[in-house]
Amino acid sequence: MAGAPIERENPARTDELVGSVEAADPAEVDATVARARIALRAWAATELGARCAAVRAGADRIAAELDALAELMARETGKVLPDCRGELGFAVTVLRWSADRAEELLVDEVIDDEAGRIVVRRRPYGVVAAVTPWNAPVILAALKLGPALVSGNVVVVKPSPLAPFAIARVVELLGSALGDDVVQVVQGDAETATALVGHSGVDRVAFTGGERAGRAIAALAGQTLTPTLMELGGNDAALLLEDADLGPDAMDRLVMATFATSGQVCMAVKRLLVPRARLDEFVAAYRAAADRVLRLGDPLADGVTIGPVVTADSAARVRALVESAGERGAEAVVLGTVDAGADLSRGHYLRPTLVLGVSADDPLVTEEQFGPTVPVLAYDSLEEALELANAGDLGLAASVWSADEERAFAVAARLEAGFTFVNTHNRTGMSLRAPFGGIKRSGWGREYGDEGVLEHTQPCVVHAPGAFRAGGAGLGAAAYPG
């Protein structure tokens, strides 16, 4: 029997119901995993080229419905329509890229010389549980689906109940090209995730989301020693050096790196570190850029670049962080403009803010805000800036901004981050060839890059030592290898 239905409102117009889905109870999760295990036999045995061709065909079917999917995603998430189109287009690219790279990466590696013969084969794990968040529901699933599927795994996706619809259709389209039960969806909340992650028929878990949920999933997977890939939160610092470009192009890029998806992105800029001598100049340039590029309003309206936050609770949390900092003497500067046709009272809207005069130990600085606000911290020396940037137990991403690229790379080497951008941040700095993931408590494992494909495989080795092959010199029965 299905669990209770999940209803999803439009965060831009909370009186509008986007739709509802039935939550999968543990029995339905069990049945889904059972079907996946049956499908695994044939899919893993399918020749690599045929798997890749099927994934490409699925990507083509998604591309054919891109506009309708983008509107659906905008309505369920509150992300602006151009961002939703961009995300879906990039997801299609990721699926195709995964297929292209797999045909080179997943062939057997053979070494045959006087030392012996070694064959390294890349074996799929089996059934992969992909637990994904609401804020980029399709691309964060595609980064798991593409590599896992081309590697011969089958996948069960558990989306966020805050964004269940677009990804469900994407999985349906992809599955129509791959065959029955190779890729499936189970909808639900924490109970569904627990049933899936803890299932004995799941061979690997790939998770993207917040630290609290990540801790629970890692602990549950650990009980059955199920291997995991964890991409958790970040509190990314953007470190501007003394020679940083504060011109319009750079500042427009920095503002959007902060406030895209209303700041609800794990790799968004969360802290701005600025030389004290340039603080006033920076604030003026940043505010001017925000006036150019931030227009708050309904995600479906033309020209709107920032929409609501996802829930009332999210709005309350971010508002409380800003108000609390203000009670301690900080100043919140409202940024950007409001679209003329917007009715902000209908949704979970927050005006984006730049917070000045905040202390380094304020929760607005030490916690991941995950909303449309960002603090500015002035520094007097590079060593102080590095100490500020490296504070805390998160290490997802960071950025260095400088006219001297060599110096920027040298400073980046001293930052505690899994991925450091130079003169950009967030999605404009991503590359399919560069592995992405965190250090410290921002997770483990990598997506993107060749590493992102290989993450979903296990290297299995066959070895015939040269000493014991025909004509070999032999080796003592208890000897160590030479």
Side-chain angles (χ1 to χ4, degrees):
M1 179 180 294
I6 296 172
E7 294 187 340
R8 181 62 187 137
E9 67 181 20
N10 183 337
R13 298 187 292 272
T14 57
D15 54 345
E16 175 189 306
L17 182 67
V18 181
S20 64
V21 294
E22 296 293 330
D25 65 15
E28 288 180 303
V29 171
D30 183 65
T32 301
V33 174
R35 291 193 299 271
R37 296 213 68 82
I38 293 170
L40 174 64
R41 301 168 193 165
W43 182 248
T46 300
E47 187 267 331
L48 174 61
R51 292 199 305 261
C52 293
V55 169
R56 292 189 189 98
D60 291 344
R61 296 180 190 189
I62 296 165
E65 292 192 15
L66 191 146
D67 286 340
L69 287 166
E71 182 172 339
L72 179 58
M73 187 193 298
R75 292 175 61 226
E76 66 181 331
T77 65
K79 292 172 57 158
V80 297
L81 189 57
D83 284 358
C84 294
R85 290 195 186 104
E87 177 180 332
L88 284 154
F90 188 48
V92 168
T93 298
V94 165
L95 292 171
R96 292 170 175 161
W97 179 88
S98 298
D100 292 344
R101 293 302 299 139
E103 290 185 310
E104 180 175 335
L105 292 172
L106 302 185
V107 297
D108 292 350
E109 178 185 351
V110 179
I111 301 172
D112 195 345
D113 56 23
E114 66 278 1
R117 182 181 178 191
I118 297 175
V119 177
V120 182
R121 294 191 172 94
R122 290 281 171 175
R123 180 184 184 278
Y125 280 89
V127 177
V128 174
V131 182
T132 55
W134 70 268
N135 60 329
V138 173
I139 185 56
L140 291 176
L143 286 164
K144 299 160 181 59
L145 287 165
L149 292 168
V150 295
S151 301
N153 301 279
V154 298
V155 184
V156 179
V157 180
K158 208 301 286 183
S160 167
L162 298 178
F165 302 116
I167 183 56
R169 179 58 179 160
V170 164
V171 168
E172 181 181 11
L173 291 166
L174 187 58
S176 69
L178 272 61
D180 293 341
D181 303 326
V182 172
V183 56
Q184 302 175 77
V185 167
V186 290
Q187 301 282 7
D189 51 20
E191 181 185 11
T192 306
T194 297
L196 179 62
V197 171
H199 198 287
S200 61
V202 167
D203 302 298
R204 181 166 172 79
V205 175
F207 173 77
T208 299
E211 182 178 345
R212 180 181 300 176
R215 287 176 180 271
I217 285 175
L220 182 59
Q223 292 178 17
T224 52
L225 298 179
T226 303
T228 58
L229 183 156
M230 307 291 285
E231 201 265 84
L232 306 178
N235 194 13
D236 294 13
L239 172 53
L240 285 79
L241 302 184
E242 298 88 341
D243 62 348
D245 178 10
L246 302 185
D249 288 346
M251 287 297 97
D252 289 359
R253 200 159 59 245
L254 181 55
V255 167
M256 288 310 300
T258 308
F259 293 107
T261 315
S262 297
Q264 301 166 115
V265 180
C266 59
M267 60 179 177
V269 174
K270 308 288 187 359
R271 297 173 291 155
L272 294 162
L273 309 183
V274 181
R276 194 177 304 278
R278 301 194 71 187
L279 180 60
D280 291 344
E281 180 189 3
F282 169 81
V283 170
Y286 194 90
R287 293 182 67 177
D291 286 343
R292 287 191 297 271
V293 302
L294 294 183
R295 182 186 294 180
L296 180 66
D298 190 290
L300 297 178
D302 290 341
V304 167
T305 61
I306 179 172
V309 296
V310 68
T311 64
D313 286 346
S314 296
R317 179 181 175 275
V318 174
R319 191 179 294 114
L321 282 171
V322 175
E323 291 175 354
S324 179
E327 292 169 359
R328 287 184 286 273
E331 176 190 4
V333 178
V334 175
L335 301 173
T337 61
V338 177
D339 186 61
D343 181 357
L344 302 189
S345 67
R346 291 187 69 187
H348 306 306
Y349 290 98
L350 293 175
R351 293 292 301 272
T353 56
L354 183 70
V355 182
L356 309 174
V358 65
S359 63
D361 60 354
D362 192 282
L364 186 70
V365 176
T366 61
E367 297 179 13
E368 183 182 16
Q369 311 97 15
F370 215 71
T373 186
V374 65
V376 181
L377 298 172
Y379 69 85
D380 295 303
S381 70
L382 178 59
E383 295 304 317
E384 180 189 2
L386 290 168
E387 184 176 351
L388 289 169
N390 292 332
D393 56 7
L394 299 179
L396 186 59
S399 59
V400 180
W401 300 68
S402 172
D404 183 340
E405 185 174 286
E406 290 303 316
R407 187 178 181 219
F409 271 74
V411 172
R414 300 178 65 187
L415 292 174
E416 296 171 0
F419 197 109
T420 301
F421 307 93
V422 172
N423 290 326
T424 193
H425 203 122
N426 208 333
R427 65 180 179 231
T428 56
M430 301 299 290
S431 169
L432 278 171
R433 65 181 186 173
F436 181 86
I439 61 172
K440 299 164 77 172
R441 291 187 178 172
S442 286
W444 53 82
R446 292 295 181 265
E447 295 181 323
Y448 293 87
D450 290 350
E451 289 85 349
V453 176
L454 298 177
E455 275 282 352
H456 293 280
T457 68
Q458 302 175 88
C460 296
V461 175
V462 180
H463 180 210
F468 309 121
R469 301 177 77 188
L475 193 65
Y480 284 93

